[in-house]
């Protein structure tokens, strides 16, 4: 049977992008290390998951038994795995905004309390963060959609976030390939689980198949129709569609090494969940790549970076000045300009390494390629290229070296970049004054002999003190 390709299925294209950038290996490693030591709060912080839970207050309000069950679930919560399986939206694969989904349910007398994961609404501009909270059925609260969405019932799919049950992933996702990506073979079994959770022995279930269309599945008759009693329970999306990781593996678009370790261990026989994720396809992990990513993340998260005033949402202090319209300070996504040294002193291997670093820089800003531009520069700056694919970029040069021209051109861009990353061998003059944007310099490693054969004593000037320097191996 021929494999489908990403060009034939837009869903595979979307999920391949998500798997490449959304949950980087350092986040998985950091969250896993903290979770395995029992520090679930630190694991959540490593995976950028905010915790809006006070266990002592919950014990006083809902009882010690519920608080004990909640604490146990939090200790086994894999927040990086939760982020891995969060619902996404096209075209960039960002986490679906304004969403509340149930992770676990705890019965309490005549009520049910939910452990929920929430995403900020689109207008909040809060990045790709997730928050954990407890919902007791109240409609009040700061979130615009406090009630758990019926389409995303992770309380019925705990293997998508609970490390204890991650091994169930293959059994719950194994299904024959379908032209439209539906997990039709799993629908009857998953529908019975849904009806059982709703306290029903039999009945019908609505299956959303995309484009505001749905079909009605009669579980007892194993029959699918377009009509049925309303409103039936909705089959969760995790049970409706083929697991994206399984579809990518079948299509040959991803290797098991690039999957989350818990996912790879469940889907690939004989693979250990302790295996290290593949940090860069076809290239071994190297410490300097992490250092460069850390330097870029530190630069883009510094005070003042990406901050601007906007009238889109009034600030809190406006309540004290009625009748006065004040702007609020909001953080916008940072923009990065990469200046690549393409002079004759830079080898083809170093240029290839520079392109790999462009991909690492994109990961450092959360996969937003539209926020990264690339400049080739030797003695003169070339045309800035918006980043689509690092592998298909054209690097122009071969002359002398003066990266001051490239830095100056990057600063003239509109909007001006927040951070400029310079990838060079160091044989260049540097600006006398500190530029308006933060500067990160990636220096290709050289021995003294390799700088200038005609002058063995030549050593280029070191980058200025106001630049963050990372040696690239």
């Amino acid at each position: 049977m021929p494999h489908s390709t990403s060009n034939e299925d837009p869903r595979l294209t979307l999920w391949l992008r998500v798997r490449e950038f959304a949950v980087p290996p350092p986040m998985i490693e950091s969250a896993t290390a903290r979770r395995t030591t029992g520090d679930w709060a630190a694991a959540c912080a490593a995976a950028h998951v905010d915790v809006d839970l006070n266990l002592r207050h919950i014990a006083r309000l809902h009882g010690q038994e519920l608080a004990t069950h909640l604490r146990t679930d939090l200790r086994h919560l894999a927040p990086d795995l939760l982020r891995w399986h969060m619902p996404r939206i096209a075209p960039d694969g960002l986490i679906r905004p304004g969403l509340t989904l149930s992770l676990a349910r705890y019965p309490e007398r005549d009520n049910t309390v939910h452990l929920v994961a929430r995403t900020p609404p689109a207008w909040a501009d809060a990045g790709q963060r997730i928050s954990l909270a407890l919902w007791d059925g109240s409609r009040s609260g700061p979130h615009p959609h406090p009630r758990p969405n019926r389409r995303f019932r992770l309380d019925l799919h705990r293997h998508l976030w609970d490390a204890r049950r991650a091994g169930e992933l293959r059994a719950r996702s194994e299904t024959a390939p379908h032209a439209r990506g539906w997990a039709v073979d799993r629908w009857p079994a998953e529908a019975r689980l849904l009806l059982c959770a709703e306290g029903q022995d039999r009945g019908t279930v609505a299956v959303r198949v995309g484009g505001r269309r749905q079909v009605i599945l009669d579980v007892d008759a194993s029959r699918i129709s377009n009509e049925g009693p309303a409103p039936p329970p909705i089959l969760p999306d995790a049970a409706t569609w083929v697991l994206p990781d399984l579809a990518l593996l079948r299509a040959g678009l991803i290797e098991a090494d690039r999957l989350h370790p818990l996912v790879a261990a469940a889907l690939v026989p004989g693979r250990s969940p302790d295996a290290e994720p593949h940090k860069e396809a076809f290239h071994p992990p190297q410490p300097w790549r992490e250092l460069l990513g850390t330097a870029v993340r530190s630069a883009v998260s510094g005070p003042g970076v990406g901050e601007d005033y906007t009238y889109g949402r009034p600030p809190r202090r406006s309540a004290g000045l009625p009748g006065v319209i004040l702007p609020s300070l909001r953080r916008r996504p940072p923009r990065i300009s990469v200046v690549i040294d393409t002079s004759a002193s830079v080898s083809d291997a170093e240029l290839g390494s520079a392109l790999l670093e462009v991909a690492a820089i994109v990961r450092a800003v959360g996969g937003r390629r539209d926020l990264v531009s690339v400049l080739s520069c030797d003695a003169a700056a070339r045309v800035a290229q918006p980043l689509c694919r690092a592998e298909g970029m054209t690097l122009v040069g071969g002359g002398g070296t003066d990266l001051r021209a490239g830095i100056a051109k990057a600063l003239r861009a509109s909007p001006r970049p927040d951070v400029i990353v310079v990838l060079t061998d160091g044989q260049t003059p540097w600006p006398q004054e500190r530029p308006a944007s933060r500067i990160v310099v990636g220096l290709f490693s050289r021995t003294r002999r390799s700088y200038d054969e005609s002058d063995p004593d030549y050593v280029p000037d070191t980058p200025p003190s106001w630049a963050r320097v990372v040696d690239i191996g």
Side-chain angles (χ1 to χ4, degrees):
M1 178 179 295
H3 293 299
S4 60
T5 66
S6 60
N7 292 330
E8 296 171 353
D9 190 346
R11 292 186 72 250
L12 291 187
T13 303
L14 172 69
W15 283 106
L16 186 62
R17 178 185 178 90
V18 170
R19 294 298 178 250
E20 185 177 1
F21 295 112
V23 191
M27 176 185 288
I28 297 175
E29 294 173 1
S30 179
T32 301
R34 287 157 175 77
R35 174 176 56 81
T36 53
T37 61
D39 193 346
W40 60 268
C44 289
H48 297 174
V49 176
D50 301 320
V51 180
D52 189 15
L53 296 168
N54 186 324
L55 293 180
R56 291 184 178 180
H57 176 71
I58 291 172
R60 289 194 299 267
L61 187 63
H62 300 284
Q64 188 61 46
E65 183 179 358
L66 187 148
T68 300
H69 288 304
L70 174 61
R71 184 180 290 106
T72 301
D73 283 340
L74 290 174
R75 286 175 178 170
H76 295 93
L77 166 70
D80 49 310
L81 184 64
L82 172 63
R83 178 174 289 277
W84 184 273
H85 289 298
M86 283 294 288
R88 305 276 171 169
I89 58 173
D92 296 322
L94 302 179
I95 292 177
R96 181 180 290 273
L99 180 66
T100 297
L101 52 86
S102 179
L103 300 183
R105 294 186 173 194
Y106 309 103
E108 181 195 32
R109 295 186 293 274
D110 55 349
N111 189 24
T112 300
V113 178
H114 298 248
L115 171 63
V116 298
R118 287 177 172 146
T119 61
W123 52 260
D125 193 19
Q128 296 294 284
R129 300 196 72 86
I130 304 169
S131 63
L132 297 179
L134 212 62
W135 182 73
D136 59 1
S138 172
R139 293 181 178 272
S140 61
H143 198 274
H145 305 288
R147 181 180 296 275
N149 194 305
R150 294 194 299 162
R151 286 179 55 191
F152 307 104
R153 292 280 304 272
L154 294 195
D155 58 303
L156 299 180
H157 297 267
R158 293 177 67 109
H159 53 280
L160 300 183
W161 62 268
D162 191 331
R164 296 169 296 182
R165 300 179 60 174
E168 301 174 8
L169 182 63
R170 184 173 187 86
R172 294 287 298 273
S173 62
E174 186 63 37
T175 182
H178 190 279
R180 297 192 178 184
W182 300 336
V184 179
D185 295 348
R186 290 291 309 165
W187 287 0
E190 294 292 340
R192 291 187 179 92
L193 291 176
L194 174 61
L195 291 174
C196 181
E198 296 292 331
Q200 304 178 29
D201 296 331
R202 61 186 65 186
T204 59
V205 169
V207 183
R208 296 174 60 96
V209 293
R212 296 181 178 272
R213 295 164 43 232
Q214 70 177 25
V215 296
I216 304 300
L217 173 64
D218 188 333
V219 176
D220 297 324
S222 297
R223 181 181 60 193
I224 297 177
S225 64
N226 294 322
E227 297 180 355
I234 298 177
L235 191 69
D237 275 23
T240 302
W241 302 90
V242 174
L243 183 73
D245 299 310
L246 185 60
L248 290 172
L249 285 172
R250 286 173 173 172
L253 297 176
I254 197 170
E255 299 292 334
D257 288 341
R258 297 176 62 187
L259 295 176
H260 190 289
L262 293 175
V263 174
L267 297 183
V268 182
R271 186 171 180 84
S272 169
D274 298 325
E276 291 288 333
H278 203 39
K279 291 186 175 147
E280 185 67 50
F282 311 115
H283 294 273
Q286 302 183 45
W288 50 262
R289 188 161 296 150
E290 297 181 9
L291 291 175
L292 180 63
T294 300
V296 174
R297 284 190 293 271
S298 175
V300 300
S301 61
V305 174
E307 292 180 346
D308 200 358
Y309 286 97
T310 176
Y311 287 92
R313 185 184 181 190
R316 295 178 181 177
R317 66 179 184 275
S318 62
L321 296 171
V324 179
I325 300 177
L326 299 175
S328 60
L329 190 63
R330 287 290 180 268
R331 178 178 287 269
R332 55 175 172 76
R335 295 184 177 274
I336 296 181
S337 182
V338 184
V339 179
I340 299 179
D341 185 351
T342 55
S343 62
S345 61
V346 178
S347 67
D348 290 343
E350 289 169 335
L351 289 178
S353 179
L355 291 180
L356 284 178
E357 299 326 302
V358 172
I361 290 167
V362 172
R363 284 198 301 274
V365 294
R368 291 289 302 275
R369 300 181 183 219
D370 58 311
L371 299 176
V372 180
S373 60
V374 179
L375 274 166
S376 302
C377 183
D378 46 12
R382 310 296 175 177
V383 177
Q385 304 179 56
L387 184 60
C388 295
R389 288 178 58 86
E391 304 85 3
M393 294 184 56
T394 302
L395 299 180
V396 181
T401 312
D402 189 353
L403 296 186
R404 293 176 299 183
I407 295 174
K409 184 163 186 176
L411 290 171
R412 290 195 299 269
S414 181
R416 189 179 67 195
D418 300 291
V419 178
I420 298 176
V421 180
V422 181
L423 303 177
T424 177
D425 60 358
Q427 300 186 57
T428 177
W430 297 96
Q432 294 296 324
E433 298 181 356
R434 182 171 188 163
S437 300
R438 295 170 184 258
I439 305 294
V440 177
V441 178
L443 281 180
F444 300 121
S445 295
R446 292 284 185 89
T447 60
R448 173 173 292 195
R449 182 178 302 175
S450 64
Y451 282 117
D452 190 345
E453 295 181 356
S454 62
D455 185 3
D457 295 327
Y458 168 74
V459 176
D461 295 335
T462 58
S465 59
W466 39 257
R468 176 72 180 271
V469 181
V470 176
D471 290 323
I472 299 179

